[in-house]
């Protein structure tokens, strides 16, 4: 049971759980023959990773079960007061920037599209170089929402460090409360889309992010009902005019 849990934990989480320094864990991993902590996790993940049987019903049911569990587990982490704080930050910010790399970049673009439908302009940056350039020109009136399952993507961390110096408000959507990205954030929204090193980029991780995004955008729409209705009316008029 413990072995299966390690596949999904960060170095910081394990360090805090067993009260041993991170450097000590890395040294121990190397002493027993691994290249480091990530190498150990990879080998454990290989042992834990289920062999997919050539049975359609089994894997179809497993995927449904995993999706249901992901939504339920993420919901259990939702803090209404924290959600309201983030919605208020989005509402008050002059400029909203959304950072995400790889599959988390897809979630960032989706958040941009959803906010636009409700009348809030934001910009998604999915390239690490553009994130750094953008972070360099931010100010205290801006808001950055950083999306990362691991919370340990170095390029993303570098951008947030720059933004932090510019006194930007930072919100993170991540699996790990002890991650570097979370520690740089003013508010953290936790997800539960657990992935091992073998299945990174899977749909499960994205679903947890999209679930939180849906909660945020629906809450924002309810807070700004008049603007939301105006946007819907304009979109309806546009469709009728084209037809």
């Amino acid at each position: 049971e413990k072995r299966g849990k390690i596949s999904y934990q960060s170095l910081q989480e394990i360090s805090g759980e067993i009260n041993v320094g991170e450097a000590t864990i890395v040294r121990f991993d190397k002493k027993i023959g691994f290249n480091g902590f990530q190498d150990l996790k990879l080998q454990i993940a290989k042992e834990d990773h289920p062999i997919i049987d050539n049975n359609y019903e089994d894997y179809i049911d497993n995927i449904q079960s995993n999706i249901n569990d992901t939504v339920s587990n993420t919901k259990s982490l939702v803090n209404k007061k924290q959600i309201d704080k983030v919605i208020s930050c989005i509402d008050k910010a002059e400029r909203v920037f959304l950072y995400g790399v790889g599959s988390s970049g897809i979630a960032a673009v989706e958040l941009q599209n959803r906010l636009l439908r409700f009348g809030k302009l934001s910009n998604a940056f999915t390239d690490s170089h553009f994130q750094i350039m953008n972070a360099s020109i931010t100010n205290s009136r801006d808001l950055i929402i950083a999306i990362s399952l691991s919370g340990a993507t170095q390029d993303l961390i570098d951008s947030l460090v720059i933004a932090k110096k510019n006194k930007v408000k930072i919100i993170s959507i991540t699996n790990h409360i002890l991650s570097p990205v979370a520690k740089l954030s003013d508010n953290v929204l936790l997800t539960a889309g657990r992935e091992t090193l073998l299945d990174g980029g899977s749909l499960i991780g994205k679903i947890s992010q999209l679930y939180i995004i849906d909660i945020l955008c629906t809450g924002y729409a309810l807070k700004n009902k008049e603007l939301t209705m105006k946007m819907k009316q304009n979109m309806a008029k546009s469709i009728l005019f084209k037809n």
Side-chain angles (χ1 to χ4, degrees):
E1 182 183 352
K2 184 66 178 175
R3 185 182 66 178
K5 185 179 178 183
I6 289 173
S7 299
Y8 299 101
Q9 288 184 301
S10 67
L11 179 58
Q12 293 91 345
E13 286 175 320
I14 293 175
S15 173
E17 192 169 302
I18 64 177
N19 294 316
V20 173
E22 294 173 25
T24 302
I25 295 174
V26 173
R27 285 196 298 269
F28 173 75
D29 294 339
K30 291 183 177 179
K31 190 172 183 179
I32 61 176
F34 296 100
N35 293 327
F37 178 66
Q38 292 299 323
D39 187 30
L40 172 64
K41 281 182 66 175
L42 179 60
Q43 298 306 317
I44 291 174
K46 286 180 179 178
E47 292 291 325
D48 291 339
H49 205 64
I51 298 173
I52 297 175
D53 193 7
N54 202 14
N55 184 317
Y56 286 103
E57 290 185 3
D58 282 352
Y59 82 76
I60 291 173
D61 289 343
N62 284 340
I63 291 172
Q64 181 189 3
S65 177
N66 288 340
I67 289 174
N68 291 341
D69 287 346
T70 296
V71 173
S72 295
N73 292 338
T74 303
K75 182 180 183 296
S76 69
L77 297 173
V78 171
N79 182 311
K80 182 64 164 56
K81 289 183 179 179
Q82 197 81 324
I83 291 290
D84 289 340
K85 281 183 183 178
V86 173
I87 290 171
S88 180
C89 288
I90 294 172
D91 199 31
K92 293 176 182 177
E94 287 189 6
R95 299 185 298 180
V96 179
F97 303 117
L98 315 171
Y99 293 176
V101 177
S103 61
S104 293
I106 297 172
V109 172
E110 178 61 22
L111 178 52
Q112 173 187 268
N113 295 341
R114 291 295 306 282
L115 286 175
L116 183 59
R117 283 180 174 273
F118 300 132
K120 185 69 178 184
L121 185 63
S122 62
N123 292 99
F125 292 92
T126 60
D127 181 280
S128 58
H129 298 292
F130 284 108
Q131 287 172 6
I132 287 178
M133 286 189 282
N134 176 253
S136 300
I137 59 169
T138 53
N139 60 59
S140 60
R141 298 184 299 276
D142 296 330
L143 171 69
I144 290 175
I145 300 179
I147 306 174
S148 171
L149 285 176
S150 69
T153 305
Q154 191 56 52
D155 289 339
L156 180 59
I157 294 167
D158 293 341
S159 297
L160 296 182
V161 168
I162 294 171
K164 196 76 175 176
K165 290 178 182 177
N166 290 340
K167 303 187 186 309
V168 179
K169 195 88 168 177
I170 299 172
I171 309 294
S172 62
I173 300 175
T174 182
N175 270 358
H176 302 287
I177 190 66
L178 297 177
S179 66
V181 167
K183 289 178 180 178
L184 285 165
S185 305
D186 298 285
N187 290 285
V188 180
L189 300 179
L190 287 171
T191 52
R194 298 293 186 176
E195 291 182 338
T196 69
L197 294 173
L198 294 180
D199 53 17
S202 72
L203 187 60
I204 297 301
K206 294 187 191 72
I207 284 172
S208 63
Q209 294 170 333
L210 294 175
Y211 177 64
I212 290 294
I213 284 170
D214 208 352
I215 289 173
L216 277 181
C217 293
T218 302
Y220 180 84
L222 291 172
K223 184 180 174 68
N224 297 274
K225 288 182 180 178
E226 289 186 13
L227 182 57
T228 300
M229 287 302 298
K230 184 178 179 181
M231 288 292 294
K232 286 184 177 180
Q233 289 169 1
N234 287 340
M235 289 171 66
K237 288 177 182 177
S238 177
I239 292 170
L240 287 171
F241 179 76
K242 286 180 180 179
N243 291 339

